[in-house]
Short mmCIF file of all heavy atoms in Angstrom, two decimals:
data_model
loop_
_atom_site.label_atom_id
_atom_site.label_comp_id
_atom_site.label_asym_id
_atom_site.label_seq_id
_atom_site.Cartn_x
_atom_site.Cartn_y
_atom_site.Cartn_z
N ALA H 1 -0.05 -3.52 10.55
CA ALA H 1 1.23 -2.65 10.53
C ALA H 1 2.31 -3.31 11.32
O ALA H 1 3.52 -3.05 11.14
CB ALA H 1 0.93 -1.30 11.05
N ASN H 2 1.91 -4.10 12.38
CA ASN H 2 2.90 -4.71 13.22
C ASN H 2 2.60 -6.19 13.47
O ASN H 2 1.42 -6.58 13.42
CB ASN H 2 2.88 -3.98 14.61
CG ASN H 2 3.28 -2.55 14.47
OD1 ASN H 2 4.36 -2.22 14.17
ND2 ASN H 2 2.30 -1.66 14.82
N ILE H 3 3.67 -6.96 13.74
CA ILE H 3 3.54 -8.47 13.94
C ILE H 3 2.51 -8.72 15.10
O ILE H 3 2.62 -8.13 16.16
CB ILE H 3 4.90 -9.09 14.26
CG1 ILE H 3 5.78 -8.84 13.01
CG2 ILE H 3 4.76 -10.53 14.61
CD1 ILE H 3 7.22 -9.38 13.29
N GLY H 4 1.61 -9.61 14.82
CA GLY H 4 0.65 -10.02 15.87
C GLY H 4 -0.61 -9.23 15.86
O GLY H 4 -1.61 -9.65 16.49
N GLU H 5 -0.65 -8.07 15.11
CA GLU H 5 -1.87 -7.32 15.14
C GLU H 5 -2.81 -7.85 14.01
O GLU H 5 -2.39 -8.19 12.95
CB GLU H 5 -1.56 -5.79 14.90
CG GLU H 5 -0.96 -5.10 16.11
CD GLU H 5 -0.77 -3.65 15.82
OE1 GLU H 5 -1.17 -3.17 14.82
OE2 GLU H 5 -0.24 -2.96 16.72
N PRO H 6 -4.15 -7.86 14.28
CA PRO H 6 -5.06 -8.27 13.24
C PRO H 6 -5.11 -7.17 12.13
O PRO H 6 -4.83 -6.07 12.34
CB PRO H 6 -6.38 -8.38 13.98
CG PRO H 6 -6.27 -7.38 15.13
CD PRO H 6 -4.85 -7.45 15.50
N SER H 7 -5.46 -7.67 10.94
CA SER H 7 -5.55 -6.81 9.79
C SER H 7 -6.75 -5.91 9.96
O SER H 7 -7.83 -6.34 10.36
CB SER H 7 -5.66 -7.64 8.47
OG SER H 7 -4.49 -8.36 8.32
N LYS H 8 -6.61 -4.67 9.56
CA LYS H 8 -7.68 -3.69 9.55
C LYS H 8 -7.63 -2.83 8.24
O LYS H 8 -6.60 -2.90 7.60
CB LYS H 8 -7.52 -2.69 10.73
CG LYS H 8 -7.58 -3.41 12.12
CD LYS H 8 -7.44 -2.39 13.27
CE LYS H 8 -7.50 -3.04 14.61
NZ LYS H 8 -7.31 -2.09 15.68
N PRO H 9 -8.72 -2.24 7.93
CA PRO H 9 -8.83 -1.38 6.70
C PRO H 9 -7.68 -0.37 6.65
O PRO H 9 -7.37 0.24 7.70
CB PRO H 9 -10.16 -0.76 6.72
CG PRO H 9 -10.98 -1.64 7.55
CD PRO H 9 -10.05 -2.15 8.62
N ILE H 10 -7.07 -0.23 5.50
CA ILE H 10 -5.91 0.81 5.34
C ILE H 10 -6.42 2.19 5.84
O ILE H 10 -5.67 2.88 6.52
CB ILE H 10 -5.47 0.81 3.89
CG1 ILE H 10 -4.71 -0.42 3.52
CG2 ILE H 10 -4.65 2.09 3.59
CD1 ILE H 10 -4.22 -0.47 2.14
N ALA H 11 -7.58 2.47 5.54
CA ALA H 11 -8.13 3.89 5.86
C ALA H 11 -8.09 4.18 7.31
O ALA H 11 -7.99 5.39 7.76
CB ALA H 11 -9.50 4.06 5.23
N LYS H 12 -8.09 3.14 8.15
CA LYS H 12 -8.33 3.35 9.55
C LYS H 12 -6.97 3.39 10.31
O LYS H 12 -6.86 3.98 11.38
CB LYS H 12 -9.19 2.22 10.21
CG LYS H 12 -10.63 2.22 9.74
CD LYS H 12 -11.41 1.21 10.43
CE LYS H 12 -12.87 1.29 10.04
NZ LYS H 12 -13.74 0.31 10.75
N ILE H 13 -5.86 2.75 9.74
CA ILE H 13 -4.70 2.69 10.55
C ILE H 13 -3.42 3.19 9.88
O ILE H 13 -2.39 3.41 10.61
CB ILE H 13 -4.43 1.18 10.95
CG1 ILE H 13 -4.17 0.36 9.75
CG2 ILE H 13 -5.60 0.75 11.83
CD1 ILE H 13 -3.79 -1.10 10.15
N ALA H 14 -3.47 3.43 8.55
CA ALA H 14 -2.24 3.84 7.82
C ALA H 14 -1.94 5.30 8.11
O ALA H 14 -2.85 6.18 7.99
CB ALA H 14 -2.41 3.49 6.37
N SER H 15 -0.66 5.59 8.35
CA SER H 15 -0.22 7.00 8.46
C SER H 15 -0.02 7.56 7.07
O SER H 15 0.04 6.85 6.04
CB SER H 15 1.04 7.09 9.29
OG SER H 15 2.07 6.44 8.54
N GLY H 16 0.28 8.87 6.98
CA GLY H 16 0.58 9.56 5.68
C GLY H 16 1.75 8.86 5.01
O GLY H 16 1.74 8.60 3.77
N GLY H 17 2.87 8.70 5.78
CA GLY H 17 4.00 8.08 5.17
C GLY H 17 3.83 6.62 4.71
O GLY H 17 4.25 6.29 3.60
N GLU H 18 2.96 5.87 5.47
CA GLU H 18 2.66 4.48 5.08
C GLU H 18 1.77 4.51 3.76
O GLU H 18 2.04 3.68 2.87
CB GLU H 18 1.95 3.83 6.19
CG GLU H 18 2.92 3.48 7.34
CD GLU H 18 2.14 2.88 8.56
OE1 GLU H 18 0.96 3.32 8.67
OE2 GLU H 18 2.71 2.17 9.37
N LEU H 19 0.86 5.47 3.77
CA LEU H 19 0.03 5.61 2.48
C LEU H 19 0.86 5.84 1.26
O LEU H 19 0.74 5.21 0.24
CB LEU H 19 -1.02 6.70 2.72
CG LEU H 19 -2.25 6.39 3.65
CD1 LEU H 19 -3.10 7.56 3.67
CD2 LEU H 19 -3.03 5.22 2.94
N SER H 20 1.87 6.79 1.45
CA SER H 20 2.76 7.11 0.26
C SER H 20 3.53 5.90 -0.21
O SER H 20 3.65 5.63 -1.36
CB SER H 20 3.69 8.24 0.67
OG SER H 20 2.94 9.41 0.88
N ARG H 21 4.05 5.11 0.78
CA ARG H 21 4.86 4.01 0.41
C ARG H 21 4.04 2.87 -0.17
O ARG H 21 4.44 2.17 -1.07
CB ARG H 21 5.72 3.44 1.61
CG ARG H 21 6.90 4.39 1.90
CD ARG H 21 7.80 3.87 2.99
NE ARG H 21 7.17 4.25 4.30
CZ ARG H 21 7.66 3.94 5.52
NH1 ARG H 21 8.70 3.13 5.52
NH2 ARG H 21 7.04 4.31 6.64
N ILE H 22 2.81 2.66 0.37
CA ILE H 22 1.92 1.62 -0.08
C ILE H 22 1.50 1.96 -1.50
O ILE H 22 1.50 1.12 -2.42
CB ILE H 22 0.75 1.44 0.85
CG1 ILE H 22 1.12 0.86 2.19
CG2 ILE H 22 -0.27 0.52 0.18
CD1 ILE H 22 -0.02 0.87 3.15
N MET H 23 1.16 3.23 -1.76
CA MET H 23 0.74 3.61 -3.09
C MET H 23 1.95 3.50 -4.08
O MET H 23 1.76 3.09 -5.24
CB MET H 23 0.20 5.03 -3.11
CG MET H 23 -0.24 5.60 -4.47
SD MET H 23 -1.42 4.40 -5.33
CE MET H 23 -2.92 4.93 -4.54
N LEU H 24 3.14 3.84 -3.62
CA LEU H 24 4.34 3.67 -4.49
C LEU H 24 4.47 2.20 -4.92
O LEU H 24 4.77 1.88 -6.03
CB LEU H 24 5.53 4.21 -3.79
CG LEU H 24 6.93 3.97 -4.52
CD1 LEU H 24 6.88 4.63 -5.95
CD2 LEU H 24 8.04 4.54 -3.69
N ALA H 25 4.29 1.35 -3.87
CA ALA H 25 4.39 -0.14 -4.17
C ALA H 25 3.33 -0.59 -5.14
O ALA H 25 3.66 -1.31 -6.05
CB ALA H 25 4.33 -0.89 -2.86
N LEU H 26 2.14 -0.09 -4.97
CA LEU H 26 1.00 -0.43 -5.83
C LEU H 26 1.33 0.01 -7.26
O LEU H 26 1.23 -0.76 -8.16
CB LEU H 26 -0.31 0.08 -5.32
CG LEU H 26 -0.89 -0.32 -4.04
CD1 LEU H 26 -2.17 0.28 -3.76
CD2 LEU H 26 -1.04 -1.86 -4.05
N LYS H 27 1.71 1.28 -7.41
CA LYS H 27 2.04 1.85 -8.71
C LYS H 27 3.08 1.08 -9.42
O LYS H 27 3.11 0.88 -10.65
CB LYS H 27 2.31 3.34 -8.59
CG LYS H 27 1.18 4.27 -8.31
CD LYS H 27 0.38 4.49 -9.59
CE LYS H 27 -0.70 5.45 -9.44
NZ LYS H 27 -1.45 5.74 -10.72
N ASN H 28 4.05 0.63 -8.63
CA ASN H 28 5.20 0.01 -9.22
C ASN H 28 4.86 -1.37 -9.74
O ASN H 28 5.35 -1.77 -10.84
CB ASN H 28 6.24 -0.16 -8.09
CG ASN H 28 7.69 -0.24 -8.72
OD1 ASN H 28 7.94 0.33 -9.70
ND2 ASN H 28 8.59 -0.96 -8.00
N VAL H 29 4.03 -2.11 -9.02
CA VAL H 29 3.69 -3.46 -9.61
C VAL H 29 2.60 -3.31 -10.71
O VAL H 29 2.62 -4.14 -11.59
CB VAL H 29 3.11 -4.39 -8.41
CG1 VAL H 29 4.13 -4.59 -7.39
CG2 VAL H 29 1.80 -3.79 -7.83
N ILE H 30 1.73 -2.31 -10.70
CA ILE H 30 0.75 -2.09 -11.71
C ILE H 30 1.43 -1.66 -13.00
O ILE H 30 0.95 -1.95 -14.10
CB ILE H 30 -0.35 -1.13 -11.28
CG1 ILE H 30 -1.15 -1.80 -10.12
CG2 ILE H 30 -1.23 -0.74 -12.46
CD1 ILE H 30 -2.21 -0.85 -9.51
N ALA H 31 2.57 -0.80 -12.86
CA ALA H 31 3.21 -0.33 -13.97
C ALA H 31 3.66 -1.40 -14.96
O ALA H 31 3.70 -1.15 -16.21
CB ALA H 31 4.40 0.53 -13.56
N ASP H 32 3.99 -2.58 -14.44
CA ASP H 32 4.44 -3.69 -15.30
C ASP H 32 3.32 -4.32 -16.00
O ASP H 32 3.49 -5.15 -16.98
CB ASP H 32 5.16 -4.72 -14.48
CG ASP H 32 6.44 -4.19 -13.88
OD1 ASP H 32 7.12 -3.33 -14.58
OD2 ASP H 32 6.88 -4.65 -12.83
N LYS H 33 2.07 -4.10 -15.71
CA LYS H 33 0.91 -4.73 -16.19
C LYS H 33 0.25 -4.03 -17.42
O LYS H 33 -0.51 -4.58 -18.17
CB LYS H 33 -0.15 -4.91 -15.12
CG LYS H 33 0.39 -5.79 -13.99
CD LYS H 33 0.78 -7.20 -14.34
CE LYS H 33 1.35 -7.98 -13.17
NZ LYS H 33 1.79 -9.33 -13.61
N ASP H 34 0.49 -2.68 -17.39
CA ASP H 34 -0.17 -1.90 -18.48
C ASP H 34 0.77 -1.61 -19.69
O ASP H 34 1.95 -2.04 -19.68
CB ASP H 34 -0.82 -0.53 -17.99
CG ASP H 34 0.25 0.38 -17.34
OD1 ASP H 34 1.40 0.39 -17.89
OD2 ASP H 34 -0.09 1.06 -16.44
N ASP H 35 0.28 -1.01 -20.67
CA ASP H 35 1.10 -0.73 -21.80
C ASP H 35 1.58 0.73 -21.96
O ASP H 35 2.01 1.14 -22.97
CB ASP H 35 0.12 -1.01 -23.06
CG ASP H 35 0.93 -1.24 -24.34
OD1 ASP H 35 2.12 -1.60 -24.21
OD2 ASP H 35 0.52 -0.93 -25.49
N ILE H 36 1.52 1.38 -20.78
CA ILE H 36 1.93 2.83 -20.73
C ILE H 36 3.43 2.84 -20.42
O ILE H 36 3.81 2.39 -19.31
CB ILE H 36 1.10 3.65 -19.71
CG1 ILE H 36 -0.34 3.49 -20.10
CG2 ILE H 36 1.62 5.12 -19.71
CD1 ILE H 36 -1.33 4.14 -19.12
#
């Protein structure tokens, strides 16, 4: 989440707002890959 910090599992460190934005980002890139 911050410069210099080691990577950790999303479930352990992400806040609710971060989860929402990360999922929005995931959905946005996946949307271009399917036929829906």
Side-chain angles (χ1 to χ4, degrees):
N2 298 294
I3 296 175
E5 290 186 0
S7 297
K8 295 180 181 178
I10 286 179
K12 292 184 177 179
I13 63 172
S15 65
E18 288 172 332
L19 283 176
S20 293
R21 281 182 281 175
I22 292 170
M23 180 53 81
L24 174 58
L26 296 181
K27 284 283 185 177
N28 205 31
V29 298
I30 292 173
D32 293 332
K33 302 297 180 181
D34 62 33
D35 199 25
I36 303 174

